[in-house]
Amino acid sequence: MKIGVDYYPEQWDERLWEEDADKMKEAGVKVVRMAEFAWSRLEPKEHEYCFEWLDKAVEIFAKRRIQVFLCTPTCTPPLWLFEKYPETIQVGKDGRRISIGIRGHRCMNSPVYRQKCKEIITQMVSRYRDNEWVIGYQIDNELEANHCCCPVCEEKFRDFVRQKYGTIEEVNRAYGNQVWSGEYSSFSQIRPPFGEHQTWLNPSYMLDFNRYASQSTVDYVTFQRELIHSLDEKALITTNNWFCENMPDFYDLFENLDFVSYDNYPTTVIPEDEEELYSHAFHLDFMRGIKQKNFWIMEQLSGSLGSWTPMSPALQSGMLKGYAMQAIAHGADTVLHFRWRTAVAGAEMFWHGILDHNNVPGRRYQEFCDLCETVNQLDMLDGSVIKNDVAILYSSEQEYAFKIQPQVEGMHYFTQLKAYHDAFTCLGAGVDIVNWMSDLSQYRVVVAPTLFVTNDEIAEKLEQFVRKGGHLVLTNRSGVKNADNRCIMAPLPTVFAEMAGISVTEYDPIGSKKQLLQPEGRFAEVVCRRMGEQAADRFAEKIGQSLGEKNENSINSIAGTLWCDIIESEGAEVLARYNENFYKGSAAITRNLYEKGNVYYVGTVLTRKGMIALAEMIAQESGMEYVVNLPVGVERTVREKGTDKWTFLFNNTDKEVSFSAQVINGEMAGKEYQQKLAPFEMCMLPSVIGG
């Protein structure tokens, strides 16, 4: 377990370096990341290298036994490179070279740029490969899928399509190019999606472009990884990522890297609306699920954020330590805070670090020291892992397809992933977010939200999971399209219909409206128990009244929003029905016994209370481990090693909470938690499996 910082020595007078290193050592820092954007200082003129300053910085930290993680500085090529080789600049969707002066404006595919990357990386790795304190390299910075449209990338995309389909006739068939007279007669007509009207372009073609763009970035990472390892085979290699606009397929991106690293910036403002999901537990579980291994945080929130946007409110007391501990609880083995010093120049001068512009160690510095002291006593967690009963499936195919053709205002691909993750988290159940093609045999419950684009492989995988006794949750907008991003001409949910035991006769994209639901059977029991006796009585009374007398509290208790699939049961048990509109009385949620397992189909997007109730019913029926009476906002995670377990309880709210909760099912069944937690406080409870 390590706490570190991101440091930019090239931005500070050398007289500060020793002082900073001393303060870091005193605080308990174990690792620093450097050289991320330093290309112009490392190579001020072509082939004129200046590494002496970096040598000195590395030596300063090595003397204090602080490890160094270097970065290939390729995100920000120097201006001399762009001036001499303008063909290395990205081309936008408007067909023009983009304006330079920020960062990331290079074409990853440019042969000239690749050569220049090779030269600077070779200089760096060759220089530090024998330095025991330089432990690895971050490739570039926050890479997005490569949407460059320059002539080189145009030909790369054309080659991608040619290799995938072989003939132009097959391309036309897959894309359905007979629509709008879009048929190609030659591969030369296949180009990147230029122009303003991106949403009008053929969705099949657009999905392939996004697939290509992701693969292009993966190829760029592979180029750098192979180069580094050819020079230093022992070096650890990663790249940092975030939830960007054009996300590459992270499973491909990190497949051959040593570990995943993430830039983690949780909110500094806790929303008042209970429907607004703000916890970064989702992000952290997503990162752990990419390789299904522990990960690093390469940039961690340290203060107010402000750069291209106005500044966010200051961190509340406990946030800096609490959010870092939250990351560790979800599988982070190393957390580096961005940044040690708040910059005094450049666009990020108000993106605050540990030390403010006043150069006086303050409240956040003291909290950072407290964090380091705590984490430096957690050596017992080294080698510990996280094992969970629940998996949520993620697919970049779905995310791309949903961005290409948004289904209803306010509904995004992540909408349902986050909602189900939150629901099980509110039950104290750990959740893995994994690739939709992962092995599912270790899980009791699999949630497969919004399988918008599908194929035979995923249908067979999920069917086998259920046949063997698994509990599967399917949702609206599943089975809509085939792998070519074309609609399947069959009743929804098409390839999943048989095991779901239902068909969707029609659907209603309701957007921000709410649709009152009437739960039935076991689901109704769980809903009413969670609401409490008096609230349940009022709910039961109101649900039978006319629409004009609806009680808003009841609507918020169990309601659907955004989307309504109108379901006809074909053997499935109905768990909830719609209570208004022309489809009043039609099924909204069902459960179907299929072989040894259960398939739940949720035709709407439940509001939070309903979602938690549904998750609780599934937890009960699957026999998975969960917790009763855990306050909303308190998160429970478990790390284990051998027979040892460590339970983390994190109060991710700005209010003090007291509670008495109990574990149901699993190896820790019967375990009771009687806790009082301050805002953003984390407590860690050790135990022995079976003890």
Side-chain angles (χ1 to χ4, degrees):
M1 299 292 111
K2 299 175 185 175
I3 296 295
V5 294
D6 302 313
Y7 192 55
Y8 299 84
E10 72 275 14
Q11 297 181 16
W12 305 105
D13 191 295
E14 287 190 19
R15 290 174 296 180
L16 289 173
W17 297 359
E18 297 263 5
E19 176 187 328
D20 286 339
D22 285 338
K23 278 194 173 70
M24 291 181 202
K25 182 176 175 59
E26 180 184 350
V29 166
K30 299 298 183 183
V31 60
V32 296
R33 182 189 70 164
M34 295 194 299
E36 185 181 33
F37 302 127
W39 194 339
S40 67
R41 280 297 178 96
L42 295 171
E43 190 180 6
K45 295 181 180 180
E46 188 171 18
H47 298 145
E48 293 184 13
Y49 299 104
C50 181
F51 277 80
E52 289 75 18
W53 66 270
L54 187 56
D55 294 342
K56 181 176 180 180
V58 169
E59 180 62 20
I60 285 172
F61 289 109
K63 285 182 178 178
R64 291 157 178 81
R65 305 185 67 79
I66 296 174
Q67 294 176 323
V68 175
F69 212 90
L70 292 177
C71 306
T72 64
T74 51
C75 182
T76 53
L79 293 179
W80 62 255
L81 192 154
F82 289 133
E83 181 180 46
K84 186 173 182 179
Y85 307 105
E87 67 270 28
T88 63
I89 304 173
Q90 282 183 34
V91 172
K93 298 290 176 60
D94 60 1
R96 300 176 182 177
R97 301 278 176 190
I98 66 172
S99 299
I100 61 173
I102 48 170
R103 66 189 193 198
H105 31 261
R106 67 285 186 262
C107 170
M108 299 177 195
N109 286 324
S110 164
V112 174
Y113 170 69
R114 290 279 186 106
Q115 177 59 31
K116 293 302 166 187
C117 288
K118 182 178 180 179
E119 292 170 3
I120 190 67
I121 293 170
T122 299
Q123 289 288 327
M124 175 178 281
V125 179
S126 298
R127 196 174 191 98
Y128 299 110
R129 62 188 169 195
D130 296 324
N131 190 317
E132 64 177 316
W133 292 99
V134 177
I135 61 173
Y137 297 89
Q138 171 191 300
I139 291 174
D140 211 269
N141 174 69
E142 295 182 338
L143 289 162
E144 298 197 27
N146 179 33
H147 278 220
C148 179
C149 298
C150 75
V152 172
C153 291
E154 181 175 330
E155 190 58 38
K156 290 275 189 181
F157 175 49
R158 191 174 291 126
D159 286 344
F160 171 89
V161 177
R162 183 185 288 110
Q163 291 174 19
K164 180 174 181 178
Y165 296 103
T167 67
I168 203 68
E169 290 77 17
E170 184 61 18
V171 177
N172 287 326
R173 184 209 60 77
Y175 291 0
N177 279 340
Q178 66 273 21
V179 176
W180 289 357
S181 194
E183 290 165 304
Y184 301 121
S185 57
S186 168
F187 277 102
S188 63
Q189 296 158 12
I190 297 174
R191 306 181 67 204
F194 292 105
E196 298 177 2
H197 304 292
Q198 299 283 304
T199 56
W200 287 68
L201 297 174
N202 186 320
S204 300
Y205 151 79
M206 290 293 286
L207 182 56
D208 259 355
F209 180 76
N210 279 285
R211 288 165 172 154
Y212 149 78
S214 176
Q215 182 177 302
S216 179
T217 299
V218 173
D219 179 70
Y220 172 70
V221 168
T222 300
F223 150 70
Q224 291 209 21
R225 176 188 61 80
E226 290 178 347
L227 174 59
I228 294 169
H229 271 159
S230 72
L231 300 165
D232 183 2
E233 60 182 12
K234 69 182 183 303
L236 295 173
I237 302 178
T238 187
T239 186
N240 58 333
N241 76 75
W242 63 301
F243 281 34
C244 53
E245 176 64 23
N246 299 312
M247 283 168 56
D249 187 324
F250 288 141
Y251 305 105
D252 292 339
L253 189 73
F254 285 99
E255 182 177 4
N256 294 311
L257 300 183
D258 291 297
F259 55 88
V260 172
S261 63
Y262 176 62
D263 294 350
N264 188 41
Y265 293 101
T267 184
T268 62
V269 179
I270 304 303
E272 295 182 2
D273 182 359
E274 66 176 17
E275 293 294 322
E276 187 174 340
L277 307 181
Y278 62 86
S279 175
H280 267 225
F282 174 85
H283 302 236
L284 300 169
D285 288 339
F286 190 111
M287 293 304 119
R288 192 185 65 254
I290 293 173
K291 292 179 76 72
Q292 298 191 45
K293 294 180 181 179
N294 292 358
F295 59 99
W296 281 30
I297 298 295
M298 203 59 85
E299 297 182 13
Q300 175 71 23
L301 177 74
S302 299
S304 298
L305 306 183
S307 181
W308 38 89
T309 60
M311 278 187 281
S312 63
L315 271 65
Q316 299 181 42
S317 295
M319 274 186 174
L320 186 146
K321 180 179 181 180
Y323 282 149
M325 290 300 298
Q326 180 194 31
I328 290 171
H330 285 265
D333 286 340
T334 298
V335 178
L336 281 73
H337 281 253
F338 185 89
R339 48 194 282 170
W340 175 250
R341 285 187 173 277
T342 306
V344 296
E348 290 185 318
M349 67 176 73
F350 295 115
W351 197 287
H352 289 72
I354 300 295
L355 299 180
D356 287 332
H357 295 135
N358 60 17
N359 198 32
V360 177
R363 175 178 63 92
R364 297 196 311 283
Y365 172 79
Q366 297 304 324
E367 190 169 321
F368 177 74
C369 292
D370 183 34
L371 167 67
C372 291
E373 182 180 3
T374 297
V375 173
N376 288 339
Q377 297 174 13
L378 298 182
D379 289 347
M380 77 289 287
L381 294 180
D382 291 344
S384 63
V385 296
I386 295 173
K387 299 178 182 179
N388 294 317
D389 289 330
V390 182
I392 295 176
L393 305 189
Y394 167 83
S395 160
S396 64
E397 296 273 293
Q398 318 305 328
E399 188 196 357
Y400 289 148
F402 240 65
K403 284 181 177 177
I404 292 166
Q405 286 187 303
Q407 295 294 282
V408 69
E409 187 71 31
M411 182 173 170
H412 308 282
Y413 175 57
F414 280 113
T415 297
Q416 299 198 71
L417 276 75
K418 289 182 176 180
Y420 282 98
H421 180 274
D422 172 76
F424 283 102
T425 297
C426 287
L427 299 178
V431 180
D432 292 345
I433 302 171
V434 300
N435 187 355
W436 67 328
M437 293 300 172
S438 296
D439 177 15
L440 305 176
S441 59
Q442 64 182 299
Y443 300 107
R444 290 176 179 266
V445 176
V446 168
V447 185
T450 321
L451 292 178
F452 191 53
V453 173
T454 189
N455 56 49
D456 293 339
E457 184 179 355
I458 188 61
E460 175 64 21
K461 179 181 289 289
L462 295 180
E463 185 173 323
Q464 289 301 314
F465 171 75
V466 177
R467 285 181 183 275
K468 294 177 181 178
H471 294 253
L472 172 67
V473 181
L474 296 172
T475 76
N476 54 83
R477 309 319 287 146
S478 291
V480 176
K481 296 186 174 189
N482 64 15
D484 292 325
N485 205 19
R486 296 175 59 179
C487 286
I488 299 173
M489 200 165 69
L492 293 170
T494 64
V495 296
F496 308 114
E498 180 182 347
M499 63 175 171
I502 59 112
S503 65
V504 176
T505 60
E506 196 175 349
Y507 48 74
D508 186 9
I510 63 173
S512 61
K513 295 180 181 178
K514 287 191 173 73
Q515 161 69 270
L516 186 62
L517 303 180
Q518 181 170 352
E520 297 185 359
R522 183 71 179 276
F523 186 41
E525 294 175 12
V526 176
V527 169
C528 289
R529 187 188 65 76
R530 291 197 68 86
M531 292 169 60
E533 186 175 345
Q534 291 183 342
D537 288 343
R538 291 195 303 272
F539 178 63
E541 178 184 351
K542 286 293 181 184
I543 204 165
Q545 293 180 351
S546 67
L547 298 181
E549 297 175 332
K550 285 188 303 182
N551 180 285
E552 185 63 27
N553 291 329
S554 295
I555 293 175
N556 288 332
S557 294
I558 178 68
T561 186
L562 294 172
W563 193 274
C564 295
D565 274 347
I566 303 162
I567 300 170
E568 183 176 306
S569 172
E570 296 180 352
E573 175 189 1
V574 176
L575 299 178
R577 298 182 187 275
Y578 297 113
N579 204 49
E580 57 185 303
N581 218 316
F582 64 89
Y583 41 95
K584 179 177 181 179
S586 296
I589 306 172
T590 60
R591 173 184 53 193
N592 190 48
L593 178 63
Y594 187 76
E595 298 289 337
K596 296 180 181 179
N598 280 295
V599 179
Y600 305 84
Y601 188 90
V602 186
T604 187
V605 181
L606 294 170
T607 51
R608 198 176 191 189
K609 291 179 182 178
M611 191 69 81
I612 297 171
L614 178 64
E616 183 172 351
M617 186 192 72
I618 295 170
Q620 292 173 358
E621 295 181 341
S622 67
M624 59 171 274
E625 182 175 293
Y626 69 103
V627 179
V628 293
N629 299 324
L630 196 68
V632 173
V634 174
E635 300 170 2
R636 170 185 176 265
T637 48
V638 179
R639 292 181 68 143
E640 62 183 76
K641 180 171 65 175
T643 59
D644 295 323
K645 282 194 174 186
W646 296 269
T647 299
F648 295 83
L649 297 173
F650 176 50
N651 177 16
N652 197 1
T653 76
D654 55 3
K655 305 290 191 301
E656 182 181 274
V657 294
S658 298
F659 59 93
S660 178
Q662 185 179 48
V663 180
I664 307 296
N665 300 327
E667 293 174 321
M668 299 180 71
K671 175 74 175 179
E672 294 186 355
Y673 305 116
Q674 295 189 7
Q675 296 293 144
K676 181 178 181 180
L677 296 173
F680 311 107
E681 181 181 0
M682 173 78 78
C683 73
M684 188 180 81
L685 307 173
S687 62
V688 177
I689 296 175

